[in-house]
Amino acid sequence: MPTFGDLERALPSLYEYRFFIAIGAILIGAAFAWLVVRKEWHQFAWEHRIPFAIGGAPIAIVGLWLAWSLASPLFINVTVEEEFPFAAQAVVPEGMEREDIESVMEGMAMVDDPVMVEQLPSGSSMTASSMVMAGTPVTAVESEMMSDMVQGLAMGAAATDDDSMTEAADMMAPAMASVMEQQGAPVALKTGSFRDADSFHRGSGDATIYSAPGGGLLLRLEDLNVTNGPALHVILSPHPDPMRSPDVKEPGYVDLGPLKGNRGDQNYTIPAGVDVSAMGSVVIYCKPFSVIFSVASLNDA
């Protein structure tokens, strides 16, 4: 027996004809109103208004709720911006602005062997011979490494082509690896990108599962932009590419709770004991109607 979710999944095929359907619905409504007046049904309804009100009120309430649930995603968006909780707070080199650092980080993400650069707070400074990570003392060897890192940042900020950016990344890589190892940096275990479920339920952004430095697991959603909807939840599913509700709810799936917002960067704690190696996808899922809004198939990071 088809569920409401099956019916709702069939509607996107009609989405491109929505304006014609809306005009048709208005015409049908006007024709029905004309018929009611012509047949004087409205007088009969008024004479029996109490029974009509008792019987019609629940239908009207349910109809309005369904209309709101399905129509609200068209004009309501919720943006949630959460910081990455494991980011080390580092100081910014003298003569560089936060925008310069962010430019370097964006460039690093485009090279073949990207370097992971933590977000740096504005209003800080450092010398060219050291970088103090959250108050941690720096040895002579570490100071030399930090000097390479600073030079790499400066080169990256001034880079004008891919070769220059790659050279900057190569200079920074050993220092960044050393610092992250000492600081106990998080490890990305699995990652994937969101895709559209259909022509109406659309999604983009990245999903990454991290192992925290002090233990524990975290799902990080970044640059998320998914169609809004009623009671959306974040699901970890063993299925690598779920297309229907039974796929999402394969044995072993984990509901991480309500989606905090349909846009932005967000963190979700994964309960202890969950075998993330067995998880094949992250799903944005509408629980009331059992509808998939977006799927990110996971691969080893």
Side-chain angles (χ1 to χ4, degrees), residues 24-281:
I26 293 173
L27 294 176
I28 291 173
F32 181 75
W34 176 84
L35 183 63
V36 168
V37 174
R38 180 71 180 273
K39 297 293 186 179
E40 298 183 348
W41 291 344
H42 63 292
Q43 294 182 358
F44 176 82
W46 178 253
E47 293 172 357
H48 301 83
R49 55 187 176 275
I50 295 179
F52 269 93
I54 295 175
I59 297 176
I61 292 173
V62 172
L64 289 173
W65 176 77
L66 287 176
W68 173 256
S69 298
L70 296 177
S72 60
L74 297 176
F75 53 87
I76 292 180
N77 292 296
V78 179
T79 301
V80 175
E81 299 288 356
E82 294 183 336
E83 294 291 335
F84 186 49
F86 309 132
Q89 294 184 348
V91 292
V92 181
E94 290 181 353
M96 296 186 67
E97 301 294 335
R98 180 172 179 172
E99 291 76 11
D100 297 328
I101 302 300
E102 291 176 349
S103 175
V104 174
M105 290 190 289
E106 291 175 0
M108 296 306 177
M110 295 186 292
V111 299
D112 294 336
D113 186 16
V115 175
M116 182 177 177
V117 182
E118 303 292 350
Q119 186 173 1
L120 306 178
S122 59
S124 301
S125 62
M126 65 175 294
T127 64
S129 61
S130 66
M131 175 180 278
V132 182
M133 305 293 287
T136 302
V138 177
T139 66
V141 174
E142 291 170 337
S143 178
E144 183 177 353
M145 290 182 177
M146 295 306 99
S147 180
D148 291 340
M149 188 186 302
V150 172
Q151 293 180 42
L153 284 171
M155 291 173 57
T160 57
D161 53 45
D162 291 342
D163 290 339
S164 298
M165 187 64 70
T166 301
E167 184 180 353
D170 291 341
M171 175 171 286
M172 291 177 58
M176 290 299 294
S178 176
V179 171
M180 289 187 174
E181 181 179 356
Q182 295 173 25
Q183 294 294 320
V187 178
L189 303 178
K190 288 200 164 189
T191 186
S193 297
F194 285 102
R195 60 165 177 80
D196 300 342
D198 50 55
S199 59
F200 180 74
H201 304 105
R202 314 188 75 168
S204 62
D206 300 315
T208 306
I209 296 177
Y210 287 96
S211 174
L217 299 167
L218 177 91
L219 172 65
R220 171 76 171 172
L221 306 184
E222 293 186 326
D223 299 323
L224 180 68
N225 188 355
V226 65
T227 305
N228 204 357
L232 297 182
H233 278 235
V234 180
I235 305 290
L236 281 178
S237 173
H239 198 289
D241 190 21
M243 301 296 292
R244 299 172 58 83
S245 181
D247 298 336
V248 176
K249 296 184 177 181
E250 281 191 355
Y253 83 94
V254 179
D255 187 341
L256 299 183
L259 183 69
K260 299 173 183 178
N262 66 307
R263 293 181 176 180
D265 301 336
Q266 301 156 36
N267 307 310
Y268 296 86
T269 301
I270 300 176
V274 173
D275 182 10
V276 295
S277 65
M279 296 301 168
S281 61

Side-chain angles (χ1 to χ4, degrees), residues 7 9-21 199:
L7 176 62
R9 272 187 294 272
L11 294 180
S13 61
L14 303 176
Y15 185 67
E16 58 180 311
Y17 308 108
R18 59 193 180 281
F19 297 112
F20 301 103
I21 293 173
S199 59

